[in-house]
Amino acid sequence: MNTFKLLFAGALLSASSVFVSAIEKPNIIVIYADDVGYGDLGCYGAEAIDTPNLDSLAKRGIRFTSAYASASTCTPSRYSLLTGEYAFRNKNAKILPGNAPLIIDPDKPTIASVLKENGYRTGLVGKWHLGLGLPTDPVDWNQEIEPGPKQLGFEYSYHMAATGDRVPTVFIEDGRIANLDPKDPVSVSYQTMVGDEPTGISHPHLLKSQADEQHAKTIVDGTSRIGYMTGGQSARWTDEEMPDEFLGKAISFIEENKDEPFFLYYAVHENHVPRIPHPRFRGSSGLGVRGDAVVQMDWGIGRIMETLQELKIAKNTLIIFSSDNGPVLYDGYYDGAVEMNGDHKPAGPWRGGKYSAWEGGTRMPFIVSWPGTIKAGLSDALISQVDLIASLAAIAGAEIPEGKSLDSQNLSSVLLGKSERGRDSLIQQGVNMEAIRKGNWKYVPPGEVRNRRGIGIFESDKISAPGALYYLPEDPMELNNLAWMYPAKVKELRSALEKEVGPVGGKRGKGGLGGAVDK
């Protein structure tokens, strides 16, 4: 009897150990690309660009075919991903200048703050573009900058303020400009010129690549930017070295936190303009600098995967890869992206790209991998990046404060490959327009779908009343408007869209809910 009790107790202990192992909090890495389209990866059909590491990640995990960014521009998508709230609910969540104040209320939960409260070490590396400081006071770049990532739950951060084509062209580490000489203070303006440094307009002969007028302000490292800046010479980045700088910081964060659960938001800058790949990647794609930047990004992701293997933590690390919006070829710099593109389809089979409400603007590559937990496969489940906070909280055993992140749905079973039932519907936010997808149907209200084609200015596709209705499985390019055939479906989808965004079909001013018309 005693022997039986001992065996029974041993069995209970063994079962308990298995249970604890099964619910152990995974490390979580969200890799967020910039302007990388659905068709830019080999695993999504690209033939002109080699992405072996992302292809391998997809082969071992789940590749989603109906996953969406919430918007077709960067700031709104990043806002939605971190907060679980559609960006159109925040009038300030539009494309921001580099000196904009923080647009996320520090009292609002984010993926970082929710996981931090549940025992995770949290880190941000890469692009930020959600504002810094208070709306009541201009940012003093020469002091500690707050509020910022730290106040939103990131215990460690190493990032740029906005984008590579905007000043200030410096890295910010834990709230302070890295390598700043206090005797050479930084000053930034988006309204008037500061200092006497050359600009792309006054000194075009100094440029590596010519740019349009918007991007022709202060020259840093041979590239003119949006906005004016002076000072901070020792802190300024070198474009070619930026990817390696971010990659090194991301790997260091992983190494330093390998013994405890961590969350890393790794927001790479590729392939946003200015596209200036490291020399070792020049010519690697055959598509010019835009394609080379994607190859460079893939190589960096491969180094992240190798690090996890070397540290023996790959099997307890959940990796999610996606992009913030659809692709764009010309975006202010005459870098040859249009001329070198050839037959490559950066948006894959979808219409449009960055800035537009077409599928190419928001339907994203989306890969989820967790070796030993997620079985390899393909999923057509409907999912939005706005769902990540609820889904990751569920996977980590964390709780979102009641009444917060209400747009986020817990689709953890979909992410883990245990269910094919995704969302019933989602909102797609373009520039000054929102559309809705419900099931296999998509409705675009009357108005103008803004898009950028080639090297021309923004062009618009005008949608007349009652709007446009598309059946996506048979019409991925959104060319066959079925609104006249299915008026009941139009009414259903328009009603559902207006329930979320308010009345549709009228004109909105520049910089409205959909984001700025310019960059």
Side-chain angles (χ1 to χ4, degrees):
M1 186 69 174
N2 289 338
T3 301
F4 174 78
K5 286 182 178 180
L6 286 172
L7 289 172
F8 182 69
L12 283 178
L13 181 61
S14 176
S16 175
S17 298
V18 171
F19 179 71
V20 170
S21 176
I23 66 170
E24 185 178 358
K25 300 171 185 175
N27 305 313
I28 298 171
I29 301 177
V30 173
I31 304 174
Y32 208 38
D34 202 336
D35 294 356
V36 171
Y38 188 99
D40 278 329
L41 309 183
C43 55
Y44 281 91
E47 297 179 353
I49 303 178
D50 290 328
T51 54
N53 294 297
L54 282 166
D55 295 351
S56 175
L57 195 73
K59 188 175 181 180
R60 299 201 308 264
I62 302 176
R63 180 169 64 87
F64 286 83
T65 59
S66 291
Y68 290 78
S70 69
S72 63
T73 52
C74 46
T75 297
S77 290
R78 292 163 195 273
Y79 176 90
S80 296
L81 181 145
L82 288 177
T83 66
E85 178 180 276
Y86 280 127
F88 57 75
R89 304 196 192 284
N90 181 342
K91 63 181 178 63
N92 296 316
K94 54 191 178 184
I95 305 173
L96 299 175
N99 61 349
L102 182 67
I103 62 169
I104 300 178
D105 186 337
D107 291 332
K108 187 182 294 292
T110 66
I111 296 176
S113 66
V114 168
L115 294 180
K116 178 185 174 185
E117 287 295 316
N118 200 46
Y120 275 72
R121 287 282 296 165
T122 56
L124 153 71
V125 175
K127 177 176 171 178
W128 182 237
H129 209 187
L130 290 165
L132 296 164
L134 296 168
T136 53
D137 300 302
V139 170
D140 183 348
W141 298 101
N142 308 291
Q143 304 294 328
E144 184 170 354
I145 303 165
E146 61 178 22
K150 181 179 180 180
Q151 286 68 40
L152 299 178
F154 289 102
E155 295 170 289
Y156 174 75
S157 60
Y158 190 88
H159 61 95
M160 61 174 67
T163 58
D165 60 342
R166 287 172 170 81
V167 298
T169 51
V170 296
F171 298 128
I172 301 168
E173 187 167 29
D174 290 337
R176 290 184 179 273
I177 292 180
N179 303 314
L180 178 65
D181 180 354
K183 296 179 181 178
D184 185 26
V186 170
S187 181
V188 172
S189 174
Y190 276 71
Q191 303 300 322
T192 58
M193 187 169 179
V194 293
D196 58 359
E197 298 191 36
T199 68
I201 294 176
S202 67
H203 292 71
H205 57 286
L206 298 179
L207 298 176
K208 298 174 183 176
S209 176
Q210 298 299 310
D212 64 15
E213 184 177 356
Q214 183 191 15
H215 294 78
K217 306 304 189 292
T218 298
I219 297 174
V220 177
D221 189 33
T223 298
S224 56
R225 320 282 168 157
I226 303 175
Y228 300 99
M229 173 183 175
T230 189
Q233 293 293 335
S234 63
R236 298 186 181 191
W237 68 53
T238 300
D239 293 281
E240 290 89 345
E241 301 295 336
M242 180 190 295
D244 285 352
E245 185 78 12
F246 284 151
L247 177 61
K249 294 295 182 179
I251 289 176
S252 293
F253 177 83
I254 293 170
E255 292 173 338
E256 292 167 7
N257 297 283
K258 62 182 176 62
D259 296 325
E260 52 189 319
F262 65 80
F263 164 61
L264 173 61
Y265 174 49
Y266 182 33
V268 299
H269 189 252
E270 293 98 339
N271 61 19
H272 196 284
V273 294
R275 303 167 184 130
I276 308 177
H278 192 280
R280 66 180 182 272
F281 293 101
R282 286 278 185 157
S284 58
S285 69
L287 295 181
V289 292
R290 185 183 181 276
D292 296 348
V294 176
V295 173
Q296 178 174 261
M297 174 195 70
D298 181 78
W299 176 85
I301 292 171
R303 302 296 77 73
I304 294 289
M305 294 162 62
E306 286 180 1
T307 298
L308 298 174
Q309 290 288 351
E310 291 167 0
L311 297 175
K312 296 180 172 49
I313 57 174
K315 286 190 175 181
N316 195 40
T317 301
L318 170 66
I319 299 177
I320 296 175
F321 171 85
S322 195
S323 183
D324 63 349
N325 50 248
V328 60
L329 298 181
Y330 170 75
D331 210 15
Y333 294 90
Y334 300 97
D335 59 8
V338 174
E339 294 81 0
M340 296 289 289
N341 188 64
D343 295 328
H344 176 59
K345 297 180 179 179
W350 318 117
R351 181 181 183 184
K354 185 175 182 178
Y355 306 109
S356 81
W358 302 124
E359 288 293 290
T362 59
R363 197 185 290 215
M364 295 290 97
F366 194 93
I367 301 166
V368 182
S369 174
W370 185 359
T373 299
I374 294 178
K375 293 182 179 180
L378 187 70
S379 176
D380 194 42
L382 194 60
I383 187 169
S384 171
Q385 291 170 7
V386 78
D387 299 320
L388 284 185
I389 186 171
S391 303
L392 293 178
I395 291 171
E399 291 186 4
I400 298 174
E402 188 175 353
K404 303 292 185 179
S405 304
L406 295 179
D407 291 317
S408 189
Q409 297 183 16
N410 176 9
L411 298 182
S412 56
S413 60
V414 175
L415 291 183
L416 298 180
K418 300 181 182 301
S419 172
E420 276 287 321
R421 182 171 177 78
R423 281 177 159 264
D424 293 326
S425 65
L426 52 76
I427 308 298
Q428 299 168 263
Q429 180 179 337
V431 173
N432 295 331
M433 170 180 279
E434 287 81 40
I436 184 170
R437 177 177 168 183
K438 186 172 183 181
N440 287 321
W441 293 92
K442 178 172 177 179
Y443 172 72
V444 182
E448 295 182 345
V449 180
R450 301 193 65 79
N451 202 15
R452 175 163 265 176
R453 301 191 182 104
I455 303 182
I457 60 173
F458 278 99
E459 297 178 4
S460 299
D461 292 288
K462 294 184 179 180
I463 306 297
S464 58
L469 180 70
Y470 304 105
Y471 187 67
L472 294 175
E474 298 177 359
D475 186 19
M477 288 295 289
E478 299 169 271
L479 299 175
N480 186 19
N481 185 359
L482 302 177
W484 65 276
M485 291 182 62
Y486 301 99
K489 181 61 71 173
V490 169
K491 182 178 180 180
E492 174 195 345
L493 267 62
R494 177 165 182 156
S495 176
L497 179 62
E498 290 189 327
K499 182 179 178 181
E500 299 295 337
V501 306
V504 298
K507 292 185 178 181
R508 292 180 180 169
K510 179 177 178 179
L513 296 180
V517 172
D518 60 2
K519 267 195 81 276

